[in-house]
């Protein structure tokens, strides 16, 4: 833990107090190769959304500024497009009615040690299957933790889950942007 804090200390001053600097965090531009033509959204990883410049500008015309940084993606063949990595902070929390047991807060990552959720422990969010749908059906977000200053954010307890506002979803739907899906999630 002391080693982690020593690594965090020099950079902590550059971030707001509520930003989690989790172990393994990566900084810098996303660099990579695309093997095929992509649509309005592309995914560097299941939890790392990229948006084309055209789609980003169209979305910003409806919602205002969206935090995003250019990604350096090289395409095979003649297709070429500029993509941006969306800045998506962990801001919302799981509602307490979904937490069966709480333990101490881990000083490294801010998550609760020994917590269990009301849905099955066998539900594994890494497998995008029927299990994920069941997880989403049972999960509730604490309404008071939902930020009102951004349209896209993550759940603190599940950093791979990305949540968007209804306004964000409606803007994407009205613009008919491709390569993104939505599932409804409950609040309490």
């Amino acid at each position: 833990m002391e080693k982690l804090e020593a690594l965090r200390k020099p950079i902590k001053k550059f971030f707001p107090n509520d930003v989690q600097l989790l172990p393994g965090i990566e900084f810098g531009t996303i660099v990579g190769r695309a093997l095929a033509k992509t649509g309005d959204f592309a995914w560097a990883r299941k939890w790392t959304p990229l948006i084309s410049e055209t789609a980003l500008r169209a979305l910003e015309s409806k919602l205002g500024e969206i935090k995003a940084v250019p990604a350096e993606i090289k395409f095979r063949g003649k297709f070429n497009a500029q993509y941006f990595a969306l800045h998506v902070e962990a801001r919302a929390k799981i509602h307490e009615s979904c937490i069966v047991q709480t333990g101490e807060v881990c000083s490294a990552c801010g998550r609760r040690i020994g917590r269990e959720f009301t849905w099955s422990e066998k539900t594994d969010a890494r497998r995008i299957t029927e299990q994920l749908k069941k997880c989403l059906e049972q999960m509730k977000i604490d309404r008071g933790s939902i930020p009102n200053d951004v349209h896209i954010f993550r759940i603190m307890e599940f950093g791979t889950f990305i949540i968007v506002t209804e306004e964000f979803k409606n803007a994407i739907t009205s613009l008919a942007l491709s390569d993104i899906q939505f599932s409804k999630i409950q609040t309490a």
Side-chain angles (χ1 to χ4, degrees), residues 4 67 75 97 104 106 110 112 114 123:
L4 178 63
K67 290 182 182 180
F75 292 88
S97 68
E104 298 176 30
C106 172
R112 293 209 175 267
T123 301

Side-chain angles (χ1 to χ4, degrees), residues 8-21:
R8 281 183 181 165
K9 190 174 181 179
I11 61 170
K12 190 78 170 152
K13 63 185 173 193
F14 297 107
F15 296 90
N17 288 335
D18 60 346
V19 171
Q20 291 180 308
L21 296 176

Side-chain angles (χ1 to χ4, degrees), residues 32-50:
R33 292 181 170 277
L35 301 176
K37 182 178 176 182
T38 54
D40 297 312
F41 283 86
W43 301 85
R45 294 176 207 92
K46 292 177 186 173
W47 56 89
T48 308
L50 304 176

Side-chain angles (χ1 to χ4, degrees), residues 23-170:
I25 192 168
E26 295 177 3
F27 296 100
T29 303
I30 292 178
V31 177
R33 292 181 170 277
L35 301 176
K37 182 178 176 182
T38 54
D40 297 312
F41 283 86
W43 301 85
R45 294 176 207 92
K46 292 177 186 173
W47 56 89
T48 308
L50 304 176
I51 185 171
S52 71
E53 184 172 21
T54 304
L56 177 62
R57 300 301 170 231
L59 205 51
E60 286 182 324
S61 73
K62 291 190 171 276
L63 300 173
E65 183 183 8
I66 296 171
K67 290 182 182 180
V69 295
E72 294 179 17
I73 308 296
K74 301 239 188 276
F75 292 88
R76 285 176 51 171
K78 295 179 182 178
F79 181 77
N80 196 15
Q82 175 65 58
Y83 279 82
F84 289 77
L86 291 171
H87 179 74
V88 188
E89 293 179 12
R91 304 267 301 268
K93 295 179 181 177
I94 298 289
H95 190 267
E96 63 185 27
S97 68
C98 295
I99 301 172
V100 175
Q101 175 187 355
T102 59
E104 298 176 30
V105 174
C106 172
S107 57
C109 69
R111 295 182 178 160
R112 293 209 175 267
I113 301 167
R115 70 174 190 252
E116 293 178 12
F117 299 98
T118 56
W119 56 89
S120 168
E121 284 296 318
K122 292 180 183 170
T123 301
D124 183 354
R126 289 172 287 186
R127 289 162 94 229
I128 308 298
T129 62
E130 291 301 313
Q131 289 181 333
L132 178 56
K133 288 181 184 177
K134 288 178 186 174
C135 180
L136 289 171
E137 288 169 4
Q138 297 175 45
M139 184 187 303
K140 293 179 188 157
I141 303 299
D142 184 332
R143 191 176 292 118
S145 73
I146 296 174
N148 59 9
D149 60 335
V150 293
H151 289 286
I152 182 169
F153 49 94
R154 296 180 190 277
I155 303 171
M156 289 180 175
E157 294 87 350
F158 293 101
T160 58
F161 279 64
I162 298 173
I163 309 295
V164 300
T165 62
E166 190 77 23
E167 189 178 6
F168 189 92
K169 181 206 170 274
N170 291 341

